[in-house]
C-alpha cells in the first residue's frame, strides 16, 4: 500500500514536469517530430479499450506519415503539413472534418503555420469551406503578400490557389452535431466541461537541415461566437517557430493563450532568459496558465531536438519520435511514464 | 558647411536612437500618454505648412482629450480609447473614417486593446460597419467570453452591444478613393511607395494607479487582399500591455510585425533580458525590423513612465505628454530635437 502511494507520488511529480524526455539532448538527432490532437479531460476511465486504440492508432498514423518525410530528407514544413492534414481529415479530432459547431450551428476553422528558418508565417481564420485549413495557411505564407487572411478573403484566395473547397456539411459529424444540439437545448442549464469545449491538432518538426517548423489547426471552441478566433491562427499565441530557439504548437483555452502570447513567450524565455526548453515550457504551461485557470498544453521542440509536451489538463493526445528511436504515443498523464 | 554636416550627423544619430526622452525616468509621473497616427514617408518637404499644422493640431487634440482623462484620475484604458476614437473619427488618419480601400474597393478595419493589470485583451478584425472599431475591441474584452472576433461575428456582436453601426460609405473619403482608383488603373505599372500603403493609429497610457494600457486601430494596408489582417488586431504583434514591463502600439508593414511578434518581443526583452525600454524598442525597430526591410515604428511606455517612440521610416505622426510637462508633437525625424 505504501509502495503504491509512493508510485502515485512519483507519477504526480513526473506529470508535473510533463516532458516526455526529461534529459536534455546531447547530440542533435537527424530529425524529430511531435504532434498533438488536443488537451482536456482525457482519462483512461472515460475511454473504452476500442476508443483508446482508435486514438493511439490515429496519432501513430499521422506521426508515421510525418516521419516518413523527415526520414527521406524532406523539410520540417512538409512533415508538419502532412501530419496536420491527416489529423484534419480524421473525424476524431477537432479540426477539419469532425470540428466543433459554433453557436450558430456551423463550423469555422482556424489554422497557422510558421517556419523557423526565416520566421515566415501564414494563417487563416474563421474559414468555412476549405477542406484542409492548414494547406490554406501554407499558401498564404508562400503565395500571398500577406500573413493572415480571414473569412471570405481567405476562402476566395484558397479557391484561386486550387485548394479543395467542400460544402460546409463535409466537416459535420454526428457526435459534434449532437453536442451542439444538446448545448443549444440546455444552454441555460449546464456549463460544458472544459474538456468537451476545446481541441486542436498541431505538429512541430526539426529536419536534417536544422530547420524547425510548427503548425496548428482547429475548429475552435465548442459553441463559440461566430467569427471567434482562438490562439491557433495567432502567430505568437498558438504557433511559433524560430531556428534560434524552438517550435511550439499549443492547444487549450485559446483566449488565455492569446493574452499570454504562449508560444512566443516560451521562445523568448529561452532566447533572452537563457531557460531550457523544459524550464520555459513548464513555467508557461504549469504556472502562468494555471494561475489564470487556463487549461491546455503545448508540444515543443528545440533546435537541438529536445521534445517537451507539458499539459495542465488530465490528458493530451500526443505523439513524438526522433531519428533512431521508437515512437511515443500518449493520451493520459500516466503515459508519461512509458519508456520510449 | 562643416558645421552643417555635423548637425546632420547629430540629427541622424539622434533619430536612430529615436526616443523622445533619452534619459530614463527617475520618478514615476502621475500619468503619461503617447499616441501615433502612422509611420511612413513623412517629410517636411512633402508637406505644406497648412498640412503640417493640420496634423499637429489633430495629434494635439487627441493627446489633450486623453490627457484630460488621466489628469482627472481616469484609467489608462479610458485615455487610450478616447484618444484612439478621436483619431478614428479624423479623416486624416488611416483608421475609421478616412481608412484605406482594399483591392475590392471597400474598407475593412482592425483594432485591438490590452490592459496591463491583468493582460486582458480584445480585438476585432476585418469589420466593415462599426463606426469606431476600437470601441468594439473594448466590448469584446469586457462583454464577451472571447478575445478576438472577426467579420460578421464581430459586427453582429458590436451591434448587439449597442455600438454605432454605419453604412460602409461613411468611412470613405475622396483622397483614399482616388488612391484606390489610381492603383486599380495602374497596378501593373507602378508600385505604391510604402509610406502610402500603411497607416495606423494607436495609444499607450500609464495612469495614476500604475496601470498600463495599449490600443491600436487601422484600415490596414492600401489595396490589401479582402480579409487581410495586419498586426494591429494581433495581440503580441501590434498591441501589448503588461504592468510588469510596458505598453506598446505599433504601426508599419504589419506582416513583418506579426512574424517578429514586435510588441510582445519588446516586453520580453525587458522582462527576461533585463533591457531598458529604450534598448528593447531600439533593437526591435531599428535592427530586427530593418534587417527584414520592414518599415514602421512603435510607441511604448514603461511602468516607470519612460516614453519611447522609435521609427525606421522618414517620419511618424506622434505625440506624448507626462504629468507636469508640456506636450511633445512630432511628425518628422527632426522633430526629435525639439525641446519639450
Amino acid at each position: 500500500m505504501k509502495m503504491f502511494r509512493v508510485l502515485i507520488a512519483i507519477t504526480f511529480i513526473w506529470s508535473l514536469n510533463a516532458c516526455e524526455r526529461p534529459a536534455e539532448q546531447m547530440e542533435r538527432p537527424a530529425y524529430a517530430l511531435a504532434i498533438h490532437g488536443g488537451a482536456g479531460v482525457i482519462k483512461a476511465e472515460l475511454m473504452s479499450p476500442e476508443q483508446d486504440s482508435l486514438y493511439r492508432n490515429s496519432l501513430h498514423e499521422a506521426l508515421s506519415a510525418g516521419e516518413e518525410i523527415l526520414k527521406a530528407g524532406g523539410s520540417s514544413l512538409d512533415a508538419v503539413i502532412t501530419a496536420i492534414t491527416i489529423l484534419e481529415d480524421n473525424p476524431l479530432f477537432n479540426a477539419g472534418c469532425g470540428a466543433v459547431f459554433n453557436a450558430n450551428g456551423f463550423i469555422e476553422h482556424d489554422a497557422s503555420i510558421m517556419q523557423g528558418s526565416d520566421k515566415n508565417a501564414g494563417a487563416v481564420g474563421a474559414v468555412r469551406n476549405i477542406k484542409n485549413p492548414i494547406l490554406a495557411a501554407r499558401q498564404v505564407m508562400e503565395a500571398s503578400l500577406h500573413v493572415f487572411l480571414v473569412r471570405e478573403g481567405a476562402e476566395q484566395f484558397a479557391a484561386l490557389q486550387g485548394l479543395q473547397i467542400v460544402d460546409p456539411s463535409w466537416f459535420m459529424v454526428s457526435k459534434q452535431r449532437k453536442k451542439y444540439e444538446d448545448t443549444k437545448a440546455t444552454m441555460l442549464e449546464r456549463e460544458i466541461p472544459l474538456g468537451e469545449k476545446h481541441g486542436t491538432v498541431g505538429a512541430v518538426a526539426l529536419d536534417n537541415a536544422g530547420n524547425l517548423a510548427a503548425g496548428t489547426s482547429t475548429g475552435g471552441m465548442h459553441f463559440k461566437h461566430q467569427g471567434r478566433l482562438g490562439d491557433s491562427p495567432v502567430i505568437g499565441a498558438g504557433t511559433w517557430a524560430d531556428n534560434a530557439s524552438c517550435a511550439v504548437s499549443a492547444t487549450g483555452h485559446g483566449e488565455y493563450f492569446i493574452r499570454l502570447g504562449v508560444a512566443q513567450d516560451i521562445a523568448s524565455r529561452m532566447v533572452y532568459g537563457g531557460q531550457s526548453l523544459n524550464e520555459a515550457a513548464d513555467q508557461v504551461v504549469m504556472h502562468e496558465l494555471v494561475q489564470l485557470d487556463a487549461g491546455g498544453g503545448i508540444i515543443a521542440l528545440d533546435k537541438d531536438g529536445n521534445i517537451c509536451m507539458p499539459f495542465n489538463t488530465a490528458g493530451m493526445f500526443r505523439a513524438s519520435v526522433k531519428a533512431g528511436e521508437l515512437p511515443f504515443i500518449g493520451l493520459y498523464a500516466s503515459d508519461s511514464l512509458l519508456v520510449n
Side-chain angles (χ1 to χ4, degrees), chain A:
Chain A
M1 191 60 196
K2 196 177 169 189
M3 202 168 149
F4 180 70
R5 278 194 199 143
V6 169
L7 190 65
I8 291 287
I10 290 172
T11 308
F12 180 69
I13 290 162
W14 203 305
S15 76
L16 278 184
N17 180 6
C19 289
E20 304 303 341
R21 298 174 183 82
E24 295 282 308
Q25 195 75 21
M26 295 309 287
E27 193 184 336
R28 199 185 91 197
Y31 64 80
L33 173 67
I35 64 171
H36 71 80
V41 188
I42 300 163
K43 293 180 179 173
E45 59 265 36
L46 300 175
M47 208 75 91
S48 71
E50 293 74 25
Q51 283 179 310
D52 183 290
S53 294
L54 209 52
Y55 278 106
R56 286 181 196 273
N57 291 342
S58 297
L59 289 165
H60 190 258
E61 182 199 353
L63 189 76
S64 299
E67 187 185 6
E68 281 307 308
I69 287 169
L70 294 168
K71 202 183 278 179
S75 73
S76 53
L77 189 72
D78 284 335
V80 163
I81 294 279
T82 298
I84 291 177
T85 306
I86 289 170
L87 294 168
E88 284 179 338
D89 288 343
N90 189 325
L92 279 182
F93 302 102
N94 175 20
C97 177
V100 296
F101 286 52
N102 69 13
N104 293 55
F106 57 88
I107 298 174
E108 290 184 326
H109 307 265
D110 305 330
S112 68
I113 186 90
M114 188 166 188
Q115 61 190 17
S117 56
D118 59 359
K119 291 169 90 172
N120 204 352
V124 294
V127 294
R128 300 179 183 176
N129 63 7
I130 303 168
K131 179 175 166 278
N132 290 105
I134 194 69
L135 296 181
R138 181 181 193 156
Q139 287 309 107
V140 171
M141 176 171 81
E142 295 184 343
S144 88
L145 295 172
H146 302 311
V147 164
F148 202 169
L149 295 178
V150 299
R151 277 284 291 128
E152 313 96 316
E155 292 161 7
Q156 287 165 11
F157 172 77
L160 279 172
Q161 288 290 315
L163 295 184
Q164 193 174 346
I165 303 299
V166 294
D167 187 88
S169 65
W170 190 86
F171 301 108
M172 298 177 176
V173 299
S174 54
K175 178 185 136 193
Q176 300 293 7
R177 182 181 296 280
K178 185 176 182 314
K179 207 161 79 182
Y180 163 70
E181 281 164 2
D182 285 356
T183 302
K184 198 178 170 192
T186 61
M187 57 191 294
L188 296 176
E189 292 166 41
R190 68 172 188 129
E191 277 281 305
I192 299 283
L194 183 71
E196 292 179 30
K197 283 179 88 163
H198 303 282
T200 311
V201 308
V204 291
L206 173 71
D207 62 27
N208 200 24
N211 287 319
L212 288 165
T216 313
S217 181
T218 187
M221 181 192 283
H222 168 67
F223 219 73
K224 68 186 176 184
H225 196 287
Q226 182 186 341
R228 175 262 190 185
L229 305 188
D231 61 314
S232 301
V234 176
I235 298 300
T239 301
W240 190 257
D242 181 358
N243 281 2
S245 54
C246 62
V248 180
S249 170
T251 173
H253 196 151
E255 278 70 14
Y256 294 100
F257 283 62
I258 294 176
R259 289 169 53 185
L260 295 185
V262 161
Q264 183 179 346
D265 190 30
I266 291 170
S268 293
R269 286 167 182 268
M270 295 175 70
V271 173
Y272 306 126
Q275 295 183 15
S276 69
L277 181 73
N278 281 3
E279 287 167 342
D282 183 71
Q283 276 298 316
V284 175
V285 177
M286 311 309 284
H287 296 272
E288 301 289 337
L289 284 167
V290 167
Q291 273 180 18
L292 293 177
D293 202 19
I298 60 116
I299 54 171
L301 178 53
D302 73 14
K303 62 186 169 59
D304 301 317
N306 296 295
I307 294 172
C308 190
M309 307 197 278
F311 50 93
N312 59 37
T313 47
M316 179 166 80
F317 299 120
R318 63 205 187 278
S320 66
V321 69
K322 290 185 197 184
E325 294 186 10
L326 286 174
F328 164 80
I329 314 279
L331 310 188
Y332 322 116
S334 55
D335 283 320
S336 295
L337 291 175
L338 287 181
V339 176
N340 295 298

